[in-house]
Every structure is written in C-alpha cells, then in structure tokens.
Amino acid sequence: MSEKKHLFFALPYYLWLALFVIAPLVLIFYQSFLNLHGQFTVQNYLAFAQSSVYLKMTFNSVWYAFLITGLTLIIAYPVAYIIAQFKSRDFWLALVILPTWINLLLKTYAFIGILGEKGSINTFLRFIGLGSHQLLFTDASFILVAAYIELPFMILPIYNAIVAIKPSLINASLDLGASRFQTFRRVIWPLTKNGVAAGIQAVFIPSLSLFMITRLIGGNRVITLGTAIEEHFLTTQNWGMGSTIGVVLVVAMLIVMLLTDDSKKGGRAK
C-alpha cells in the first residue's frame, strides 16, 4: 500500500518530467536530423563540425561562460563566508536573493541605462573631467552584467555548504596550531567543495546559452551559440540547424555536470 501511495504522489513529478524535460529533448534531437525541407539528414552535424564560424561560436560560448563563472566564484566565496559569520545572516541572505525576483529583461535594461552614453557612469566620468567612454557593447560590459545576474546562484550553494560546517571542526583545527589559512585550506575548503561545484553548475551551464544579454549588452561583438540558436529559429527559420546547436549545448552541459559532480567523492577535511 505504501508503494502505491508513493507512486501516486510521484506521478505528477514523472508527468512533468516527461512533458517538459524529456519530450522537448527528444523533439530537439529529432529536429536536428531534418533539413529545411523536412528530409532526414546528418548534414546539420557535418556543417557544424566543418564550419569555422560555429567552432568559433562554441569556443566563445565556453570561454565567456568560464570567465563569468570565474568572476562570480571569486566574488561569491568571500561574500558567502562573510554572510555566514553574521548573526543577522537571514537579512543579508535576503538581500542576495532579492535581485532574482526582478525580471531579467528589466535588470538588463537597467544596466543599459547605467552603462549607456548618457548613463550614470558616463555622467560621473564627465563630471570629473574624464569624458564619455564606450561602455556598452563591449566584452567587459557583457561579462560584468552576466556575472551580476548569475552571482546569487553562486553565493547560495556556497553559503549553504559553509553554514553546514560544524564550528567544532574549525575550533579543533585552530586549537591544534593551524593558522587561519591552513584551516581554510585543509578544513573549510574541502568541506565546501560540493557547494562550489553546485555553484559552478548553476552559473556555467546557463552562461553557455545566454542570448538576450549578448544582444542588449554585448551587441554584435559577442556572438555565442545562444545567439546562433535564436538566429536560426527566429530569423532564418532553419530549425534543423538550430536544434543541432541545441543538442551540442545539451551535450556540453552534461559534460560540465559530469566534471563538476563531486557527490561520489564527498567533501571531507584533509
């Protein structure tokens, strides 16, 4: 009877998984083998592998995702560690989560206002006599905005890993003569690697397929696989090629998940 109840309550989850995860993936995979005339072909994959343009887009996607993930990790770890030390940690954590409640498009347009020629940064630069500068439509602005948007998703798993550490382990390390740095390297860092891995997955994987931010902030300078998919589905109507690039992105995301999967190893102090 308990197994039947378990199956009954799990049924909505399985239906959701089948309709909104498995079915779209199957459709994309099937569509990737069709040409513009709906005929079965492997030409889409051959064209992708033989095209220097697509290979450059793939490199750009991975490189930008790497930079965005690296920047967010550098900022997120100390922020998460500091928040974990506060008594009012819930308040500060709420401030981290709050930006995620704002629509992504609104945040992007806010940065257009900040970084634009007549934005607040250029206004300040003109005020101090440095003149206006082209801040929008640059690689730096794209990475900055993307890192800001993805930052909460790096902070949260690292914060959860830090607060899960028993204070007695840290105190024991210090009492045994270890320095603060040695305690971090041999106790805190190994015990938070799972959180770091989860944060890398949460940031790197979405960063591979960014397209709206690349258009609005990066302009035509930033071309990734996400923008290529948008172009094929909405402009050229070449759904087969767009689906092929989508399959490549899915495979890349699976590789990232496998490389960052630390669940079997488990974090432990060394």
Side-chain angles (χ1 to χ4, degrees), residues 44-61 223-225 228 241:
N44 293 328
Y45 288 95
L46 294 176
F48 182 93
Q50 296 172 358
S51 173
S52 60
V53 175
Y54 288 126
L55 294 179
K56 183 179 179 181
M57 287 182 183
T58 304
F59 174 80
N60 286 342
S61 297
I223 304 297
T224 62
L225 292 179
M241 195 65 215

Coordinates of all heavy atoms in Angstrom, one line a residue, residues 44-61 223-225 228 241:
N44 N 23.4 18.6 -41.0 CA 23.5 19.7 -40.0 C 24.7 19.5 -39.1 O 25.4 20.4 -38.8 CB 22.2 19.7 -39.1 CG 21.0 20.1 -39.9 OD1 21.1 20.9 -40.9 ND2 19.8 19.6 -39.6
Y45 N 24.9 18.3 -38.6 CA 26.0 18.0 -37.8 C 27.3 18.1 -38.5 O 28.4 18.6 -38.0 CB 25.9 16.6 -37.2 CG 24.8 16.5 -36.1 CD1 23.5 16.0 -36.4 CD2 25.1 16.8 -34.8 CE1 22.6 15.9 -35.5 CE2 24.1 16.7 -33.8 CZ 22.8 16.3 -34.2 OH 21.9 16.2 -33.2
L46 N 27.4 17.7 -39.8 CA 28.6 17.8 -40.6 C 28.9 19.3 -40.8 O 30.1 19.7 -40.7 CB 28.4 17.1 -41.9 CG 28.3 15.6 -41.9 CD1 28.0 15.0 -43.3 CD2 29.5 15.0 -41.3
A47 N 27.8 20.1 -41.1 CA 28.0 21.5 -41.3 C 28.6 22.2 -40.0 O 29.4 23.1 -40.1 CB 26.7 22.2 -41.8
F48 N 28.1 21.8 -38.9 CA 28.5 22.4 -37.6 C 30.0 22.0 -37.4 O 30.8 22.9 -37.0 CB 27.7 21.8 -36.5 CG 28.0 22.4 -35.2 CD1 27.4 23.6 -34.7 CD2 29.0 21.8 -34.4 CE1 27.7 24.1 -33.5 CE2 29.3 22.4 -33.1 CZ 28.7 23.5 -32.7
A49 N 30.4 20.7 -37.6 CA 31.7 20.3 -37.3 C 32.7 20.9 -38.3 O 33.9 21.1 -37.9 CB 31.8 18.8 -37.4
Q50 N 32.3 21.2 -39.5 CA 33.2 21.7 -40.6 C 33.3 23.2 -40.7 O 34.1 23.7 -41.4 CB 32.8 21.0 -41.9 CG 33.0 19.5 -42.0 CD 32.4 18.9 -43.2 OE1 31.8 19.7 -44.1 NE2 32.5 17.6 -43.4
S51 N 32.4 23.9 -40.0 CA 32.3 25.3 -40.1 C 33.2 26.0 -39.0 O 33.0 25.8 -37.8 CB 30.8 25.8 -39.9 OG 30.8 27.2 -39.9
S52 N 34.1 26.8 -39.5 CA 34.9 27.6 -38.5 C 34.1 28.6 -37.7 O 34.4 28.9 -36.6 CB 36.0 28.3 -39.3 OG 35.5 29.2 -40.3
V53 N 33.0 29.1 -38.3 CA 32.1 30.0 -37.6 C 31.5 29.4 -36.4 O 31.5 30.0 -35.3 CB 31.1 30.6 -38.6 CG1 30.1 31.5 -37.8 CG2 31.7 31.3 -39.8
Y54 N 30.9 28.2 -36.6 CA 30.3 27.5 -35.5 C 31.3 27.1 -34.4 O 31.0 27.1 -33.2 CB 29.5 26.3 -36.0 CG 28.2 26.7 -36.7 CD1 28.0 26.2 -38.0 CD2 27.3 27.5 -36.2 CE1 26.9 26.5 -38.7 CE2 26.1 27.8 -36.9 CZ 25.9 27.3 -38.2 OH 24.8 27.7 -38.8
L55 N 32.5 26.6 -34.9 CA 33.5 26.3 -33.9 C 34.0 27.5 -33.1 O 34.2 27.3 -31.9 CB 34.7 25.6 -34.7 CG 34.4 24.3 -35.3 CD1 35.6 23.8 -36.1 CD2 33.9 23.3 -34.3
K56 N 34.1 28.6 -33.8 CA 34.4 29.8 -33.0 C 33.3 30.2 -32.0 O 33.6 30.7 -30.9 CB 34.7 31.0 -34.0 CG 35.1 32.3 -33.4 CD 35.4 33.4 -34.4 CE 35.8 34.7 -33.7 NZ 36.1 35.8 -34.7
M57 N 32.1 30.1 -32.5 CA 31.0 30.4 -31.5 C 31.0 29.4 -30.3 O 30.8 29.9 -29.2 CB 29.6 30.2 -32.3 CG 29.3 31.3 -33.2 SD 27.7 31.0 -34.0 CE 27.6 32.3 -35.1
T58 N 31.3 28.1 -30.6 CA 31.5 27.2 -29.5 C 32.6 27.6 -28.5 O 32.4 27.6 -27.3 CB 31.8 25.8 -30.0 OG1 30.7 25.4 -30.9 CG2 31.8 24.8 -28.9
F59 N 33.7 28.0 -29.1 CA 34.8 28.4 -28.2 C 34.4 29.7 -27.4 O 34.7 29.8 -26.2 CB 36.0 28.7 -29.1 CG 37.2 29.4 -28.3 CD1 38.0 28.6 -27.5 CD2 37.4 30.7 -28.3 CE1 39.1 29.1 -26.8 CE2 38.4 31.3 -27.6 CZ 39.3 30.5 -26.8
N60 N 33.8 30.6 -28.1 CA 33.3 31.9 -27.4 C 32.4 31.6 -26.3 O 32.5 32.2 -25.2 CB 32.7 32.8 -28.4 CG 33.6 33.5 -29.4 OD1 34.8 33.5 -29.1 ND2 33.2 34.0 -30.5
S61 N 31.4 30.7 -26.6 CA 30.4 30.3 -25.5 C 31.1 29.7 -24.3 O 30.8 30.1 -23.2 CB 29.4 29.3 -26.1 OG 28.7 29.9 -27.1
I223 N 29.2 37.0 -29.9 CA 28.4 36.0 -30.6 C 28.7 34.7 -30.0 O 29.8 34.2 -30.0 CB 28.8 36.0 -32.1 CG1 28.7 37.4 -32.7 CG2 28.0 35.0 -32.9 CD1 27.3 37.9 -32.8
T224 N 27.6 34.0 -29.5 CA 27.7 32.7 -28.9 C 26.7 31.8 -29.5 O 26.0 32.1 -30.4 CB 27.4 32.9 -27.4 OG1 26.1 33.3 -27.2 CG2 28.4 33.8 -26.7
L225 N 26.7 30.5 -29.0 CA 25.8 29.5 -29.6 C 24.4 29.9 -29.3 O 23.4 29.6 -30.0 CB 26.1 28.2 -29.0 CG 27.4 27.5 -29.5 CD1 27.6 26.2 -28.8 CD2 27.5 27.4 -31.0
A228 N 23.2 32.2 -31.9 CA 23.1 31.4 -33.1 C 21.7 30.6 -33.1 O 21.0 30.6 -34.2 CB 24.2 30.5 -33.3
M241 N 19.1 23.3 -38.0 CA 20.4 23.7 -37.6 C 20.3 24.3 -36.2 O 21.2 24.1 -35.4 CB 20.9 24.8 -38.6 CG 22.4 25.0 -38.4 SD 23.4 23.6 -38.9 CE 24.7 23.7 -37.7

